[in-house]
Amino acid sequence: MKKIILNLFLIASSISAFAQDAINYQMPPKAIVDLLLAKPTPSVSIDSKAEWMLFSERNSYPSVEELAMPEYRIAGMRINPNNYSPSRQTYINSFSLKNIKTGKTIAVTGLPTPLYASGGSWSPNQTKIAVIHTSQSRVDLYVITVATGKAVKMNKQPLNAIMGGGATWVDENTLLYRIATKLASAAPARPLAPKGPTIQQSLGKASPSATLQDLIKSPYDEQLFDFFATSQLIQNKGGIETPIGKPAIYSGVSLSPDKNYIMTRTIKKPFSYLVSAGGFPSTVNITDRMGKVIKLVADLPSTEVRPSGNDNVQNVPRGFDWRDDEAATIIWTVALDSGLIKKNVEYHDAVLALSAPFTASPKELLKTKMRFGGMSWGNSTFALVRESSRTKQTSKISSFNPSTGIVETLYELSTNDAYNNPGNPVTEKNKYGREVILTTDNGTKLLLNNTTGASAKGDLPFLAKFDLATKKSEILWRAQPGTYEMVTEVLDPQKLVLLTRKESQKDAPNYFIKNLILRMADQQITTFTNPYPQMEGVKKEKISYKRADGIDLTGDLYLPKGYDKEKDGPLPVLIWAYPREFNSATDAAQIRGSQDKFTTISSGGPLFFVTQGYAVLDNAEMPIVAKDDKKPNDTFVEQLKLNAEAAINKLSEMGVGDRNRMAVGGHSYGAFMTANLLAHTNLFKAGIARSGAYNRTLTPFGFQNEDRTYWQAPQLYYEMSPFSYADKIKTPILLIHGEMDDNQGTFPINSERLFNAIKGHGGTTRFVYLPYEAHGYRAKENILHMLWEMNTWLNTYVKGAKLTVAK
């Protein structure tokens, strides 16, 4: 493996005497390495009859050399130029099947070795499974026969997975997919010199664009996008490939319920330099199965001119979809307020429908007073309508009778009110093979499955029966405290036979078949064991505490194995968090999560450090709540301080946390939080900020849930930017950023400039630039080195800190 040098920037740190360092990758302590590299339990997909299970095992972390493979970053995408696929995928390297009744496990054969697979789509009758294999030079489609476990390659021409590489089942022997039209090696060559400058212009139309990355930047980028995104739609019936229509840039392909029509969305020029491919000009068509255009549904412009602000939409048709309960009816939404939510109108959206043969005028189905959020179809007399307001943090679910047009509100609640969320409707397959809402008791009731089940006792998932007349729920089953169990499938809604996934602090998640009526002993159908034996003995507790203004907060506290408070005394602490905005203090105070969940290790999480003698407070609540008719962010910094002080006070009062040895950290918006806390308080000995945005003027048209622009609220943008107060950051801060961050707003220049600003004012900081990494880190060498950096930083500035009183 070639030697890759990691650039590390250092100032005023005891780790090194130099201002700038170039070192090789480092390894954290063995306990951390073992946790990171532990083989996770397989993913499970179970057929609707609970007869077969498909186990999928994923590759370990890719090497940094794999991340370093060539890629094009254009149109908001990252493309592998050698095989017409997205780069940076996480692959499955092994499949196996298990017959639930016999318990026999079958290894899937006939797939390539080594395997780089994705997908796992069951056929309509669930006798076959389609998977995609991506090699260095092409993408291929394989079909596994469930009964035998044998896989067969289906395609002759390589697939084009750039704009969506999955296969769609038509029937047990027919699939739709997209293929490449040219060899990847025929891609346009980069000219040695451009023919002229790259020019953009504005001719008076407002284009408040978000700060997106990897956009088209030149005519050559346009050529590359056109080349790699163009594909040919194919029907494969029994191994025979038949082209459907002509090559195009297909951004969406959807088969009608009766399988007689295809709805396509195709991208056309001019390609935008301001938005990603999903916002390019496009055409929505209905074609027959041979690709002949039956109906031009919409000719859509670029989204460049979409108005900024939460709940504002572009004034064009949107949300095209098939109605699941009819043979071939499309629906879409139009704005009744010109796309501007503040316009004073009774209804803001209308939903239109058009049925085959698509020659009539569209029919209006219903109107909504908030933004339309989607439909869940049942039958000719019943459907559910979702509408919501992001600004008001409100959502509403209504029943809708398609035959009469009657709409009746079932419930309306805050999008942050987890306690009163009734759950999602259980579905069943109709005659078209589409999932539709299941009704019981002669159509008067629904089964609702809440896989979270938030409550004052923590998350306790439940299954309920919802009465459409009284609008009340009767809970049929609920998880018991001490375990975390949720319904993943209702196998038999009449006999109430359920498939559940159950776990506890000590027991890894496993699947069970549960019969609510017969009340037989649960049948365990998987036997996964703990992949993290190192974590046995680590104590986990969901703690509750109040901040100074009375808002209740919670966090997940982890204490090291064998820790004895009386003998060992208070520990150094790492607090890890991510702020959220709330319009209601009541919603902010709700308990989220469960202390009864099995602890799984995420490469981006903080739990590694409980093995190094730290108390870790993960998911520490950091609510930012609207006060006194103001918006949440108007008091952002003040509330961050209240949240942090409350957590520190609680840990100190419990006797497990040393208030003089506290560290704070977070990723993305959590990094933004961390830098702000260090800029405005002296509560911590150190901070760790990964892949954050620190100068809000670089996201001038809004960020997170803030929809005011920089020009509407310049003082807010200034005060929320830790960059503005870099001269105040004297607490040691470790900055980490992926060199190729692809997240909206978190450009690497944020960390570069904050580092330089802190350095320029004599602060203590270190900047680690991880090669080839995006917003989330993937390469094994980079992640291990990141953990070494974090552990070294904590040991240097927190564990061994001198005892001084925090202010």
Side-chain angles (χ1 to χ4, degrees):
M1 180 176 133
K2 67 180 181 180
K3 184 177 180 182
I4 296 178
I5 299 298
L6 182 69
N7 291 320
L8 306 167
F9 300 93
L10 178 66
I11 181 70
S13 168
S14 62
I15 299 173
S16 173
F18 300 102
Q20 193 164 318
D21 237 2
I23 67 174
N24 293 333
Y25 283 111
Q26 301 295 306
M27 294 286 283
K30 184 178 183 299
I32 292 179
V33 175
D34 291 345
L35 278 178
L36 178 74
L37 301 183
K39 188 176 182 179
T41 55
S43 299
V44 178
S45 176
I46 303 176
D47 70 7
S48 62
K49 301 174 186 176
E51 294 179 356
W52 289 93
M53 289 186 292
L54 176 70
F55 296 120
S56 307
E57 297 189 41
R58 297 195 176 274
N59 288 323
S60 59
Y61 299 97
S63 70
V64 73
E65 280 192 309
E66 290 178 75
L67 257 61
M69 296 295 286
E71 71 176 357
Y72 290 128
R73 292 180 284 162
I74 48 176
M77 300 183 297
R78 297 191 167 181
I79 296 170
N80 185 327
N82 298 320
N83 61 11
Y84 282 98
S85 77
S87 56
R88 302 171 180 268
Q89 298 186 69
T90 300
Y91 295 110
I92 297 165
N93 69 335
S94 175
F95 287 109
S96 60
L97 287 157
K98 180 179 179 180
N99 186 292
I100 294 173
K101 291 182 180 179
T102 66
K104 183 179 179 181
T105 299
I106 303 172
V108 173
T109 61
L111 292 172
T113 303
L115 180 65
Y116 298 97
S118 57
S121 171
W122 296 80
S123 63
N125 293 338
Q126 299 184 314
T127 63
K128 299 176 182 178
I129 301 170
V131 299
I132 303 296
H133 169 69
T134 303
S135 70
Q136 290 188 0
S137 60
R138 58 184 286 152
V139 179
D140 292 305
L141 171 66
Y142 286 78
V143 169
I144 303 167
T145 299
V146 173
T148 63
K150 293 182 179 179
V152 176
K153 180 182 169 184
M154 299 300 296
N155 62 300
K156 295 181 177 63
Q157 300 297 318
L159 273 64
N160 185 334
I162 297 297
M163 301 295 294
T168 300
W169 286 100
V170 180
D171 55 44
E172 291 300 295
N173 297 304
T174 310
L175 289 146
L176 300 182
Y177 50 85
R178 296 168 234 177
I179 64 169
T181 58
K182 298 177 182 178
L183 294 175
S185 59
R190 180 182 293 277
L192 294 177
K195 295 180 180 180
T198 298
I199 297 172
Q200 301 181 55
Q201 65 179 354
S202 174
L203 299 176
K205 290 186 177 180
S207 301
S209 302
T211 49
L212 303 174
Q213 304 201 49
D214 299 337
L215 300 179
I216 286 177
K217 297 180 177 68
S218 68
Y220 177 63
D221 285 351
E222 294 186 57
Q223 293 176 41
L224 288 176
F225 174 73
D226 194 19
F227 178 87
F228 283 104
T230 298
S231 64
Q232 172 66 60
L233 187 59
I234 289 289
Q235 173 181 286
N236 186 317
K237 186 175 181 65
I240 299 174
E241 293 182 326
T242 304
I244 299 175
K246 296 179 180 180
I249 302 177
Y250 291 100
S251 63
V253 176
S254 176
L255 195 63
S256 65
D258 66 1
K259 315 294 197 298
N260 289 329
Y261 301 95
I262 302 173
M263 179 163 53
T264 64
R265 186 163 181 163
T266 54
I267 289 173
K268 61 181 183 178
K269 295 179 179 181
F271 303 145
S272 174
Y273 285 44
L274 290 178
V275 297
S276 57
F280 289 0
S282 62
T283 301
V284 179
N285 284 311
I286 303 296
T287 75
D288 63 17
R289 285 280 297 278
M290 296 307 296
K292 179 183 177 182
V293 175
I294 304 298
K295 175 71 175 180
L296 170 62
V297 181
D299 194 356
L300 302 172
S302 166
T303 61
E304 286 184 8
V305 295
R306 178 192 178 276
S308 64
N310 294 339
D311 302 313
N312 288 336
V313 297
Q314 194 170 5
N315 191 25
V316 296
R318 67 185 197 275
F320 301 90
D321 201 1
W322 293 104
R323 181 171 163 175
D324 293 316
D325 65 326
E326 290 195 345
T329 298
I330 57 170
I331 65 166
W332 66 92
T333 310
V334 294
L336 301 177
D337 54 9
S338 302
L340 303 175
I341 199 68
K342 290 184 179 180
K343 191 171 183 179
N344 187 21
V345 294
E346 183 177 3
Y347 295 98
H348 288 276
D349 278 343
V351 179
L352 307 181
L354 181 63
S355 299
F358 312 107
T359 54
S361 298
K363 173 187 175 183
E364 184 180 286
L365 292 182
L366 58 95
K367 297 176 182 178
T368 59
K369 294 188 175 183
M370 292 184 283
R371 283 285 174 241
F372 174 72
M375 300 280 291
S376 295
W377 297 98
N379 51 46
S380 61
T381 61
F382 182 76
L384 292 178
V385 183
R386 298 182 298 278
E387 54 186 297
S388 64
S389 167
R390 183 176 173 184
T391 300
K392 297 178 180 178
Q393 296 184 349
T394 300
S395 67
K396 181 167 71 173
I397 300 291
S398 303
S399 64
F400 170 62
N401 186 326
S403 298
T404 64
I406 296 175
V407 178
E408 182 179 359
T409 300
L410 297 179
Y411 54 89
E412 184 172 348
L413 45 81
S414 165
T415 53
N416 289 316
D417 181 4
Y419 286 1
N420 292 303
N421 185 344
N424 297 314
V426 173
T427 62
E428 63 179 350
K429 281 187 168 61
N430 64 7
K431 64 180 180 180
Y432 301 116
R434 310 283 279 219
E435 293 290 342
V436 295
I437 298 170
L438 169 73
T439 58
T440 66
D441 299 74
N442 295 319
T444 63
K445 297 179 181 179
L446 309 178
L447 284 179
L448 297 181
N449 183 20
N450 192 319
T451 57
T452 301
S455 76
K457 296 180 179 179
D459 290 352
L460 296 171
F462 61 83
L463 181 72
K465 187 173 282 190
F466 183 84
D467 191 309
L468 293 168
T470 65
K471 304 175 184 177
K472 295 183 178 180
S473 286
E474 170 197 359
I475 293 182
L476 303 176
W477 168 86
R478 186 160 204 164
Q480 296 301 306
T483 63
Y484 182 84
E485 185 175 12
M486 64 179 180
V487 176
T488 61
E489 187 86 29
V490 177
L491 301 173
D492 188 330
Q494 304 306 321
K495 298 179 181 179
L496 290 179
V497 180
L498 315 176
L499 178 69
T500 68
R501 183 178 185 268
K502 182 164 66 173
E503 60 192 280
S504 69
Q505 280 198 28
K506 295 182 178 180
D507 300 313
N510 275 292
Y511 288 85
F512 296 79
I513 295 177
K514 181 185 297 287
N515 192 312
L516 296 188
I517 293 181
L518 297 181
R519 299 187 179 278
M520 302 165 55
D522 293 353
Q523 177 190 354
Q524 184 172 346
I525 60 174
T526 61
T527 54
F528 300 135
T529 57
N530 182 2
Y532 313 113
Q534 311 94 311
M535 294 292 287
E536 292 178 1
V538 170
K539 183 181 178 183
K540 175 185 177 183
E541 179 186 359
K542 181 166 282 295
I543 61 172
S544 300
Y545 48 99
K546 285 183 183 291
R547 71 184 201 186
D549 60 0
I551 293 179
D552 292 317
L553 305 173
T554 62
D556 297 325
L557 176 63
Y558 296 82
L559 298 173
K561 179 179 180 179
Y563 170 68
D564 185 322
K565 179 172 64 174
E566 303 302 325
K567 182 179 68 174
D568 301 324
L571 296 170
V573 177
L574 173 59
I575 297 174
W576 200 261
Y578 190 97
R580 287 183 58 193
E581 298 96 333
F582 294 86
N583 285 345
S584 161
T586 301
D587 291 347
Q590 291 186 358
I591 294 175
R592 293 168 180 83
S594 168
Q595 72 173 20
D596 297 321
K597 275 191 171 183
F598 181 76
T599 299
T600 56
I601 302 298
S602 164
S603 63
L607 300 188
F608 299 97
F609 303 101
V610 77
T611 68
Q612 304 303 302
Y614 292 88
V616 176
L617 185 63
D618 195 15
N619 301 314
E621 294 285 353
M622 290 278 173
I624 309 298
V625 185
K627 291 184 173 183
D628 303 323
D629 296 324
K630 295 182 179 180
K631 291 195 173 186
N633 284 338
D634 290 342
T635 52
F636 180 83
V637 172
E638 171 192 327
Q639 293 194 60
L640 278 187
K641 184 175 180 179
L642 289 173
N643 294 325
E645 287 175 335
I648 291 171
N649 289 340
K650 176 64 176 180
L651 295 170
S652 178
E653 290 165 7
M654 291 176 67
V656 299
D658 183 348
R659 68 168 55 250
N660 295 298
R661 294 188 295 166
M662 294 277 169
V664 63
H667 190 93
S668 195
Y669 209 53
F672 173 69
M673 167 206 75
T674 298
N676 263 304
L677 282 169
L678 300 194
H680 297 284
T681 77
N682 294 315
L683 297 170
F684 299 97
K685 287 296 182 183
I688 299 171
R690 298 192 324 225
S691 296
Y694 309 114
N695 184 344
R696 297 277 48 137
T697 66
L698 298 177
T699 54
F701 288 104
F703 54 93
Q704 292 295 106
N705 286 315
E706 180 56 64
D707 64 349
R708 289 169 290 186
T709 70
Y710 167 77
W711 298 274
Q712 293 170 329
Q715 191 65 24
L716 175 81
Y717 276 67
Y718 178 87
E719 292 176 353
M720 286 186 69
S721 297
F723 181 82
S724 303
Y725 303 92
D727 59 326
K728 307 296 184 184
I729 299 178
K730 300 304 180 184
T731 302
I733 182 170
L734 174 63
L735 298 170
I736 302 175
H737 218 116
E739 176 191 14
M740 297 181 178
D741 194 321
D742 57 348
N743 184 54
Q744 178 176 321
T746 54
F747 288 83
I749 195 173
N750 279 276
S751 291
E752 295 173 11
R753 293 295 179 261
L754 182 61
F755 169 78
N756 287 332
I758 297 172
K759 173 182 175 181
H761 286 92
T764 300
T765 184
R766 183 176 175 92
F767 176 29
V768 181
Y769 213 20
L770 297 176
Y772 304 108
E773 293 292 357
H775 192 60
Y777 314 145
R778 298 184 62 235
K780 180 172 67 175
E781 299 93 332
N782 281 334
I783 297 171
L784 287 168
H785 187 93
M786 173 197 74
L787 292 169
W788 176 81
E789 292 280 359
M790 293 172 67
N791 188 59
T792 303
W793 197 257
L794 292 171
N795 286 344
T796 302
Y797 294 109
V798 181
K799 185 178 283 188
K802 295 179 180 178
L803 299 183
T804 57
V805 179
K807 298 178 182 178

